[in-house]
Structure formats: C-alpha cells, structure tokens
Amino acid sequence: MYGLYDKEGILRYVNSDKDACIAYAELFNLNSQSYLLMSLNDTIEDLGNINFDQNQAKNSN
C-alpha cells in the first residue's frame, strides 16, 4: 500500500498500486517537489490496526 502526501504532510491519496498514486499526482499537476510517495506497509504494521474510514470521517467534521 502506498500513500501520497503533499508538501505540508497531509495524506492526499492511498492505493495499493504505486503507479495509481503517481497518476493521481499528475492529475492534479503535482510535481515531484510537491509530494512524497511512501510505502505504508511498514508504517501500518508499526501502528497496528488502522481503520481509514473512521479517520477520514473524523477529519471531515
């Protein structure tokens, strides 16, 4: 799983396909200096079970 973070550290996109994350960045005209692509597999294992749906709902309020 990969996550695409903007230059301010906000997670913008999560996908299991690295190329899909890069395509997302290109869709919004983000250049490589504007984002960081990071493998989340190791991070998720370190943090335990994360329910992204709950986190997103919490952040939208």
Side-chain angles (χ1 to χ4, degrees):
M1 180 174 289
Y2 294 89
L4 181 82
Y5 292 84
D6 69 10
K7 65 182 179 181
E8 296 169 358
I10 297 173
L11 178 62
R12 296 291 182 187
Y13 190 74
V14 174
N15 195 295
S16 59
D17 182 8
K18 178 181 177 181
D19 292 333
C21 288
I22 294 170
Y24 180 87
E26 291 173 356
L27 177 67
F28 290 99
N29 297 319
L30 299 174
N31 60 39
S32 60
Q33 286 81 29
S34 298
Y35 69 85
L36 170 69
L37 182 61
M38 180 179 198
S39 174
L40 297 178
N41 290 334
D42 296 333
T43 305
I44 289 173
E45 288 174 9
D46 291 342
L47 296 176
N49 278 336
I50 296 174
N51 185 333
F52 286 107
D53 292 331
Q54 285 180 351
N55 290 338
Q56 288 175 353
K58 194 181 291 184
N59 290 336
S60 322
N61 291 333

